[in-house]
Amino acid sequence: LHIVLFSGMLQASDYAFGPEHVVQIKQLLGSNELRPGDRVVLEDGTYTGWEQFDFYAHGTSGLPVTFKARNPGKVVFSGAMGLRLYGEHLLLDGFVFREAWAVRGNLIDFRKEAGICAYYSRITNCVIDNCNDPAKEGSTSSENWIVLHGTYNRIDHCYFARKQVAGIIVQVWLDANGERYNNYHRIDHNFFGERAPLNANGAEIFRIGHSWSSQFPSCSIVEDNVFYHCDGENETISVKSCRNVVRRNLFYETRGSITLRHGHDNLVESNVFIGNNLKNTMGIRIINQGHKVYNNYLQDITGTGSNAAMVVRMGVYEKPTSETDLKKEPLVSYHRVVDVDIAYNTFVNCALIEFGQGCGDKEPRNVRFANNLISSSDVESNITVSNPAVFPGIKCFNNYVSFREGTDFSMEGFTRMPFVFEKPATGASRGIYRLRNEVRAELAGGFDYISMDATGSPRTDNVTPGAVQFSSQGKRFNIVRFDDCGPGWYEPLKKDFEDITQKTTF
Ligand code: CA
């Protein structure tokens, strides 16, 4: 079936296929004969027998080359497959990958081979659910679902869940075009659903870079995503490169952290963690240099040690440079924390905040922990100094805490004040807590770059510590709206949305 469309001077084609045409679809997608604006459209049905195949074409910014479902959600890919995208302006839209698995290491790969990558390409409105190679279950063999190469690629409005085999859901590689950095990928408005504990490393949901490329900037953005019961391992997002942004994501009952594992100058802003006191729920773990961590809200997080609500780790080595020889300071190790801001975060009923966790004798330097709001009304204190050498390298000031009454907590930089967070009286019983009484404080300057709070309101009234100004009480957190996240047509998603939305709105 071949329908020719005319659009001004440009001639674009629609090619329509059914499940019996897998051989023809593969031939056309890999032929490099598709032109800007062409669309390869699949009719409803389950498509199998793919094996390895390529989507190679050159679209333009106004006229991408599209591979899509006629009816989103009605086209299912199953069985062994490996899709390689390369070229420019490719668009994948509306497919469900279910009980499919990778013929080689990756289900979907944004390159053909080293240096031949996809650019300005996008996967949107797709589902990858329960895709596990039956031969790999229970083994240590791994496979990745999506591997991003190239630059300016985007994954948005997709749903991912039930990955059981080891391997990453989205892995970013820093090897664009023979260079190794500046990817500018964007991953937004996705729903990352259930992933059971692997009980081993290598089950991250999202990893940006590798240790070997960690000193280079990726400049990728992970924003407005939901991570729901992502329990594969203790790093839900593992940042292993520089100058990335992780913001406005919701981590709901997820037993994993944002870990700034390698690389520098990353931004972690306005994320919401709701642990609901499930065992081993975690927050943010900080290693390396130049990070800014602010406006994050963490509630009912139970993890301790390296899995605490906030961890500032000891270093084993200095920041590697070409002068000091990377090989003498192994990139897989832990490097000194330097020049990090942790400001305007709120911690409600979190088990622990850890300063100086882990092995190593390189204490943090020039870390500012300021203007944070900490409430754990059942304990004497939830702040742990695992290694006294962290002071004065960690400078604490203008933090406000509310701990159990009748105890004598005293720590420089923390002002004790009676304030109460309470569960909302209406709606679901496990929602975001509300601060009942205003905490007016003398806050420190020096954070002018934090111009808004976690609800997106301007910080005009600069007297309230924590992620949300008191004057913003009643406003919604500036995290993704559930209706705007993932494909709207996927049923498991809708069920979860109705449930969680009740719990994340004031
Ligand atoms: Ca890991």
Side-chain angles (χ1 to χ4, degrees), residues 168 200-204 207 233-235 238 240 261 285:
I168 319 301
N201 193 16
E204 295 88 349
R207 196 163 67 189
E233 66 147 277
N234 63 2
E235 296 168 337
S238 181
K240 295 188 169 182
R261 183 66 187 83
R285 187 159 69 122

Side-chain angles (χ1 to χ4, degrees), residues 463-480:
V463 294
T464 314
V468 178
Q469 296 179 109
F470 193 76
S471 56
S472 299
Q473 290 285 311
K475 292 185 180 174
R476 197 180 183 284
F477 275 86
N478 197 21
I479 51 175
V480 63

